[in-house]
């Protein structure tokens, strides 16, 4: 076995294998550009970049991985976060049920549609109005 963990077997095919790795972690722009040129022809560039995102601390990015500098990886991560679909934090809303007769929403539906208001709807609306006057809300006490 080559001593590389199974998850990093791709690293044996990396273009940087056997290279002076100081160039990949240099502060000098010229050395970073040289490192990026090595990455440009690398057959496992995407795996390297994915490993960098998986393993590195976002607050301490450093060096060239997958052909991108720390600043470029930071920007890419930011773009990916903003384009990712937002996770639903609340339970999805149930679809609205149609208003039924004998309720205040049923009464309001009659008004919207211009249909004759039935007795149960009229009574439900009167009860809701009375509660509103007494308690400040149309909701019935439970």
């Amino acid at each position: 076995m080559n001593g590389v963990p199974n998850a990093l077997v791709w690293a044996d095919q990396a273009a940087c294998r056997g290279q002076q790795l100081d160039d990949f972690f240099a502060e000098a722009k010229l050395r970073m550009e040289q490192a990026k040129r090595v990455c440009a022809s690398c057959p496992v560039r995407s795996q390297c970049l994915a490993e960098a995102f998986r393993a590195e601390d976002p607050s301490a990015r450093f060096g060239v991985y997958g052909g991108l500098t720390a600043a470029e990886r930071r920007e890419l991560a930011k773009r990916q976060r903003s384009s990712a679909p937002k996770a639903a934090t609340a339970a999805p809303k149930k679809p609205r049920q149609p208003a039924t007769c004998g309720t205040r929403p049923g009464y309001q539906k009659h008004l919207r549609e211009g249909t004759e208001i039935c007795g149960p709807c009229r009574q439900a609306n009167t009860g809701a109005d009375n509660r509103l006057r007494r308690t400040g809300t149309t909701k019935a006490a439970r």
Side-chain angles (χ1 to χ4, degrees):
M1 189 80 189
N2 59 11
V4 177
N6 286 339
L8 300 177
V9 170
W10 57 265
D12 287 338
Q13 302 167 19
C16 62
R17 186 180 168 108
Q19 298 257 341
Q20 184 70 6
L21 293 182
D22 290 346
D23 289 341
F24 291 86
F25 298 97
E27 295 281 333
K29 189 170 178 94
L30 179 62
R31 289 177 70 190
M32 277 197 265
E33 291 301 322
Q34 290 171 341
K36 288 174 72 171
R37 278 196 290 279
V38 170
C39 292
S41 63
C42 184
V44 292
R45 180 179 174 187
S46 60
Q47 290 96 324
C48 180
L49 186 58
E51 176 63 17
F53 278 122
R54 186 195 69 75
E56 76 182 342
D57 178 3
S59 64
R61 288 191 167 100
F62 188 69
V64 175
Y65 284 94
L68 299 179
T69 65
E72 291 167 335
R73 289 193 308 280
R74 194 173 301 110
E75 184 60 33
L76 178 60
K78 185 177 165 184
R79 282 195 314 265
Q80 287 175 338
R81 278 192 309 270
S82 67
S83 67
K86 303 293 181 210
T89 55
K93 290 184 177 181
K94 290 187 247 175
R96 275 188 131 164
Q97 298 298 317
T100 56
C101 277
T103 62
R104 185 176 178 108
Y107 177 86
Q108 293 166 337
K109 181 179 177 185
H110 285 296
L111 292 178
R112 263 194 322 274
E113 294 176 351
T115 58
E116 185 178 340
I117 300 170
C118 64
C121 287
R122 188 175 303 280
Q123 186 177 0
N125 186 61
T126 301
D129 280 344
N130 289 335
R131 274 190 305 281
L132 181 61
R133 287 188 193 97
R134 274 192 325 271
T135 65
T137 180
T138 60
K139 305 289 184 195
R142 291 182 183 218

